[in-house]
DNA sequence: TAGATTGTTAATCGATTAACAATC
DNA sequence: TAGATTGTTAATCGATTAACAATC
């Protein structure tokens, strides 16, 4: 969005944004209302101002440290996901329960044991945690995160977490994705054979 | 769900399932309606039957081959994701545009160029595709997949795809996850400093 | 018969979209 | 003034939840 907008003109309309993002203009305007972005009727939104406001709203002004628990394949891949840098995030704490993994280094970061979570999370004021453990560990890990001051959790496990409601949870259930993909493919084949 | 259910008893109620999955019983019953699962009032659902029906519905009876395009970090990690095996899926085609990557082997699978997609996809009757390319490539890759007979796409890119409506698309937008996580953390800090 | 749980309809909720007066 | 686009309200839609007669 920024990319495209910046070069062309200093103002952009909500429907223009919408077209590029694949949503109707009304939705864009509603979303921008979240942080009270002001547009000028018949002109649009000032691109640079909008971008600044959006960055402030998303908290992208200063870099943010993140704790990741569960240094399996998925955990390792995420640790290297370039999106983090884009959003000013950096995984600074990489934890695992498995004593075999503790001590080894991934992407310049040493895997530590769960016991250091409370200390380091508070010291670095970590607010964001990522869970890539087996499903059975997720609830416990989440509770430990919350106890350590984390208030925003990205859960890659199929486990539904029960946590205080002020904690934000984003579920990223890859298994659900697989199930759906498989179901749609199966459905397609059923329809195809019946004809 | 299966795990817990199988051992205990031969019947299970919708609210029992719901409790374990973290959703109300009514929702479970409604979901089970998708494949016309029959329960017995005052008894519940026959566990083994339910499981069989669910497996058939999800298309888990026989193994399914999958094509993955974009052999970056995320692609590599996904290729090793244990969930695939659980859902009877196997990535059998690993493609990338980058000539540098073509030929190298990941998890016993050779990275091939995009040109082989039509041939192999049709030969193996691939129905499921995964896109882990840069966002700018996604639309093109998706179109090539559809042309090659794929009808179910898992898109890890933030790009909204425009494809024939019979094609199923599941978006797994990790950037959106990051943005949300960051926004919630920023919001929390704003609230905290204002008090 | 009494108790439990289904299958399904109606009510609720939130999110998306349409529409349009206000205004640049 | 005429044309364009906002900000916001109302309509629509789909998904979730509540409720309850039917039934084992």
């Amino acid at each position: 969005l920024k990319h495209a907008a910046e070069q062309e003109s200093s103002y952009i309309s909500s429907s223009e944004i919408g077209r590029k993002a694949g949503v109707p203009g009304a939705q864009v305007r509603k979303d921008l209302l979240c942080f009270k972005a002001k547009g000028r009727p018949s002109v649009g939104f000032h691109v640079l101002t909008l971008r600044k406001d959006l960055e402030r709203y998303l908290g992208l002004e200063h870099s943010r440290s993140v704790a990741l628990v569960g240094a399996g394949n998925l955990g390792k891949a995420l640790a290297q996901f370039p999106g983090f840098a884009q959003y000013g995030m950096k995984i600074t704490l990489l934890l695992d329960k498995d004593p075999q993994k503790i001590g080894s280094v991934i992407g310049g970061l040493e895997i530590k044991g769960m016991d250091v979570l409370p200390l380091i999370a508070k010291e670095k004021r970590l607010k964001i945690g990522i869970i890539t453990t087996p499903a059975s560990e997720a609830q416990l890990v989440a509770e430990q995160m919350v106890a350590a001051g984390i208030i925003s959790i990205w859960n890659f496990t199929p486990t539904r977490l029960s946590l205080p409601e002020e904690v934000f949870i984003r579920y990223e259930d890859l298994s659900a994705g697989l199930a759906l993909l498989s179901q749609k493919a199966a459905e397609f084949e059923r329809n195809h054979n019946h004809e």
Side-chain angles (χ1 to χ4, degrees), chain A:
Chain A
L1 190 147
K2 300 180 227 161
H3 281 275
E6 271 189 313
Q7 318 209 326
E8 291 170 16
S9 165
S10 54
Y11 284 86
I12 189 170
S13 73
S14 58
S15 27
E16 177 74 10
I17 297 174
R19 188 144 25 85
K20 300 196 180 182
V23 297
Q27 170 136 254
V28 173
R29 294 201 294 283
K30 198 143 246 188
D31 288 352
L32 297 185
L33 225 65
C34 283
F35 54 96
K36 296 173 187 59
K38 300 282 181 227
R40 283 169 56 183
S42 111
V43 179
F45 294 84
H46 187 68
V47 175
L48 262 42
T49 311
L50 189 58
R51 188 177 161 179
K52 272 272 175 294
D53 288 351
L54 186 54
E55 280 176 351
R56 180 160 28 233
Y57 177 65
L58 292 180
L60 306 183
E61 299 147 305
H62 50 84
S63 176
R64 217 169 264 285
S65 294
V66 176
L68 188 151
V69 178
N73 278 323
L74 186 58
K76 286 183 217 166
L78 273 180
Q80 294 170 47
F81 181 55
F84 283 101
Q86 266 179 51
Y87 282 89
M89 291 192 197
K90 196 170 178 347
I91 293 175
T92 55
L93 193 54
L94 190 51
L95 306 180
D96 205 293
K97 206 178 79 169
D98 182 0
Q100 299 265 303
K101 287 181 184 160
I102 295 171
S104 66
V105 174
I106 290 173
L109 200 59
E110 190 190 333
I111 301 179
K112 302 225 169 79
M114 288 302 293
D115 49 306
V116 306
L117 178 59
L119 242 73
I120 303 191
K122 277 171 192 163
E123 184 190 308
K124 296 193 181 175
R125 299 185 198 289
L126 302 187
K127 290 286 164 276
I128 298 175
I130 303 176
I131 304 178
T132 51
T133 61
S136 54
E137 308 284 334
Q139 177 64 38
L140 179 61
V141 169
E143 286 167 12
Q144 291 174 325
M145 283 180 166
V146 172
I150 282 173
I151 49 88
S152 208
I153 291 180
W154 206 4
N155 179 19
F156 280 82
T157 275
T159 305
R160 297 272 125 188
L161 302 176
S162 71
L163 294 175
E165 69 173 41
E166 66 269 21
V167 177
F168 172 78
I169 309 169
R170 162 96 178 184
Y171 292 93
E172 204 81 48
D173 187 349
L174 300 183
S175 295
L178 279 173
L180 222 44
L181 240 38
S182 176
Q183 187 262 314
K184 294 294 174 187
E187 188 174 274
F188 179 86
E189 282 171 358
R190 276 193 292 269
N191 290 340
H192 239 65
N193 293 340
H194 285 201
E195 277 156 23

